[in-house]
Amino acid sequence: MRGQLGKVAALFAGSIRPLTPNNRPSGIFKTPVEQAVWIGRNGLEGDAQADLRVHGGPEKALHQYPAGHYSVLAQAFPDVRSELFPGALGENLSVSGWDESTVCIGDIFQLGDAVIQVSQPRTPCWKIDSRFGVEGMTQHIHQNDLTGWYFRVLSEGLVAPGGEFCLIERDPRKTSVKQLLSLWRAHRPSPEALESIAAISTLSPNWVKKMNDRAQQLRHLP
């Protein structure tokens, strides 16, 4: 799969807006980027996140969400079918041909002039249910590994819609995002398996800690 080319279907960025019903500030609302944009260490120029404790930053600089997941969500939530299209879940990047089973932790991609690396899965939160006014979408996304993933930026640069997206390097462990998510969702995974993934040097520090902490908790269970 190394060297596999793709085309950037769309780029998305957005400002902070109130999210109903409580009008809490959120950066989940994105609109298409129509021209070349700079990708810095913290993501796309012009993109904003409301709660920087859990969103944004170098380890979550860019979010990619598989465009094919929207048809899956539309089948599960037909009442909001018309609202389910690329960009609606707050992602920055839409490229066909990639999903959680084909993308691995540590994968390095050329994105326009920038170089980016897969750092961790996305953890869906309550804001998705609020965004669409439905209950259970967040849980459905979590339970079915429809989360997407985040990138860190290794080399800054310009990218434009329709530009090239190419895998240029893969970690020898080849641990897919789906494998990580499936292990994390397991009722009682082996501590050794958790620690093995935590040892991947390209996994974000936050997820390294989560994996190791859970492994320690499991070791103390009867």
Side-chain angles (χ1 to χ4, degrees), residues 100-209:
E100 292 80 2
S101 65
T102 58
V103 168
C104 294
I105 300 299
D107 277 357
I108 298 176
F109 289 86
Q110 186 82 39
L111 176 62
D113 295 334
V115 178
I116 60 178
Q117 183 176 48
V118 177
S119 57
Q120 65 177 73
R122 177 184 184 172
T123 303
C125 71
W126 61 269
K127 289 184 179 180
I128 294 174
D129 284 9
S130 294
R131 163 75 172 83
F132 297 101
V134 297
E135 292 186 6
M137 188 179 291
T138 299
Q139 184 178 13
H140 183 82
I141 288 170
H142 172 71
Q143 291 180 340
N144 292 279
D145 299 335
L146 305 173
T147 65
W149 53 89
Y150 286 106
F151 295 97
R152 63 174 65 91
V153 177
L154 301 181
S155 179
E156 301 176 334
L158 284 172
V159 63
E164 288 189 354
F165 180 77
C166 177
L167 177 66
I168 57 177
E169 186 175 332
R170 170 155 285 176
D171 188 288
R173 295 190 180 210
K174 300 180 181 179
T175 302
S176 71
V177 173
K178 185 175 180 65
Q179 287 174 308
L180 186 157
L181 290 169
S182 296
L183 181 66
W184 182 252
R185 285 194 295 103
H187 173 63
R188 194 164 178 171
S190 77
E192 292 79 12
L194 292 166
E195 290 167 344
S196 177
I197 289 184
I200 299 174
S201 62
T202 53
L203 184 63
S204 71
N206 176 55
W207 270 88
V208 169
K209 185 177 187 305

Side-chain angles (χ1 to χ4, degrees), residues 45-106:
E45 185 177 10
D47 192 40
Q49 297 81 36
D51 189 349
L52 296 179
R53 297 171 303 169
V54 292
H55 297 292
E59 294 297 309
K60 301 177 183 178
L62 294 169
H63 174 225
Q64 183 173 347
Y65 194 73
H69 287 354
Y70 282 104
S71 61
V72 178
L73 293 175
Q75 290 181 356
F77 301 92
D79 290 347
V80 293
R81 179 186 298 271
S82 64
E83 301 176 51
L84 294 167
F85 47 80
L89 281 176
E91 69 266 32
N92 303 114
L93 179 61
S94 181
V95 181
S96 62
W98 298 93
D99 61 25
E100 292 80 2
S101 65
T102 58
V103 168
C104 294
I105 300 299

